[in-house]
Every structure is written in structure tokens, then in C-alpha cells.
Amino acid sequence: MDSRGSILLRAAEIASVDGLEGVTIGRLAVELGMSKSGVFSHFGAKEELQLATVHTAAEIFSHEVVIAGGTLLDLCSRWLDYSKRRVFPGGCFFVVTRSEFAARPGRVRDALMLFNLRWISLLERLCGDAQMAFEVDALLTAADRFAVLYDDASAYERVRSSLRARMTIPTGMEMSVATPNDNNIASQASSTI
């Protein structure tokens, strides 16, 4: 991995614990054994670093959760596994950062909002229902926060059970599947960068 990639991976890891505001050029330089100017030369400004971090996290999320396709239940199962395995040490990068930037206007919020809109749109397509997509996202988010806060992985199985029960209600849902084209959730999240 090149130095820019290493910087962005570490930035995403930090942001999952301390938020994007916890990601600083100085902190990255110390943690990666680089000079501040070496880190700064890749981004030029903190906002550019934050935007690039969002894009990197979106690519990782897409690879971990979306790219394999499958049914809604498959996608949710991979999402829960992604959180449980702590791909990002603080749980889901987007659960942490969308809360952090929800009320802050600007380019970083816009990039996070675009990613979230793409994610919800994918859930809606797979569910065939906006309300159910909202509920699925809420359950996944709750599992992530409960498991991280209480260091209790039982939340993942509880949410899996809830999702299986909830998904047996609509008919024909098993025909909705994510496809490799849905992988663009990452590239489209960066369109504001």
C-alpha cells in the first residue's frame, strides 16, 4: 500500500473511534512515523483529508458489504459481520461520522449524506419499501452501537433474528438482490470530493 493509502486507512480507523475531527495531520504523522509536511503534501488541508477518508471508508464498506451482491438478508448479514469483525476499530465508520456531522453544513457532511442516501436507496430497492429500509438501517445501526458501547456481540444475533422475522412478512422479497453495479456506492460517495 502506498503512503497515501496507509494514511487514509489509518485516518478511517481513527475516525471510527474519535470521529473525523479526531483525524489530524499531526496525529497521523506521529502514528505513521512520517513528517507533518509529508502527510500534508497528500491533502493540503484538513477538509481534503476528511473527504478522502470518507471516500476510503466508502470503498472499504463497499468491498466488505455490497460487492458480493445477494438478497437483503445476505447484505445485512455481511454488514453485521463487518461491524462485528471491527473492520474499523470503533465499529461502522459511517454510523460514527454521520452522527458527528449531521448538523454541520459543508462538503464533509455532503459526502457523508450522499453515501448514506446511496446506502438507503440500495436498501429501499432490496426491500421494496422505504419504511422497511429505514427500519433495517436503524436495526443495523443499533447493533453496531450496542456492541461497541457494551462490548457485547449478542446484539448482532438479536438483530439477525429481528431481521429474519421482519423479512418473512413481505412476499417476493427474495427476488430482490444486490448486484455488482451496486458497488458504485463508494465511487458515488466521492463525487462531492
Side-chain angles (χ1 to χ4, degrees):
M1 181 179 295
D2 66 353
S3 61
R4 180 180 167 86
S6 298
I7 292 166
L8 290 171
L9 178 58
R10 185 64 191 132
E13 292 169 348
I14 291 168
S16 76
V17 175
D18 296 333
L20 281 164
E21 287 300 319
V23 176
T24 66
I25 290 172
R27 180 176 181 180
L28 288 167
V30 168
E31 290 194 19
L32 296 170
M34 298 176 69
S35 68
K36 279 178 145 181
S37 61
V39 174
F40 184 81
S41 69
H42 289 285
F43 308 101
K46 185 173 183 175
E47 183 179 63
E48 296 305 319
L49 170 61
Q50 290 173 331
L51 289 167
T53 302
V54 169
H55 178 68
T56 296
E59 288 177 345
I60 292 168
F61 178 90
S62 182
H63 176 76
E64 292 285 333
V65 177
V66 179
I67 200 167
T71 66
L72 178 62
L73 196 54
D74 295 334
L75 195 73
C76 291
S77 183
R78 284 193 305 275
W79 194 103
L80 292 166
D81 291 341
Y82 144 88
S83 173
K84 185 176 183 178
R85 285 184 291 112
R86 295 289 185 271
V87 170
F88 295 109
C92 180
F93 172 93
F94 292 99
V95 170
V96 173
T97 58
R98 72 183 180 194
S99 296
E100 177 187 16
F101 276 83
R104 295 182 190 182
R107 291 174 60 213
V108 176
R109 177 183 179 265
D110 292 348
L112 291 165
M113 187 172 63
L114 181 59
F115 172 85
N116 198 62
L117 288 171
R118 301 281 185 207
W119 169 244
I120 294 296
S121 176
L122 174 59
L123 291 178
E124 285 179 12
R125 185 173 64 75
L126 295 177
C127 292
D129 178 66
Q131 178 61 35
M132 187 169 168
F134 180 84
E135 292 173 21
V136 167
D137 185 60
L139 283 168
L140 296 172
T141 298
D144 182 78
R145 293 299 79 196
F146 187 94
V148 172
L149 180 62
Y150 297 106
D151 193 25
D152 182 355
S154 70
Y156 298 115
E157 258 330 292
R158 290 173 29 208
V159 167
R160 281 182 214 279
S161 294
S162 295
L163 289 169
R164 280 191 296 270
R166 178 69 171 94
M167 289 179 200
T168 60
I169 296 169
T171 57
M173 187 184 323
E174 65 280 356
M175 300 307 289
S176 296
V177 295
T179 67
N181 291 338
D182 293 315
N183 187 41
N184 65 11
I185 193 169
S187 62
Q188 292 175 356
S190 66
S191 66
T192 60
I193 297 178

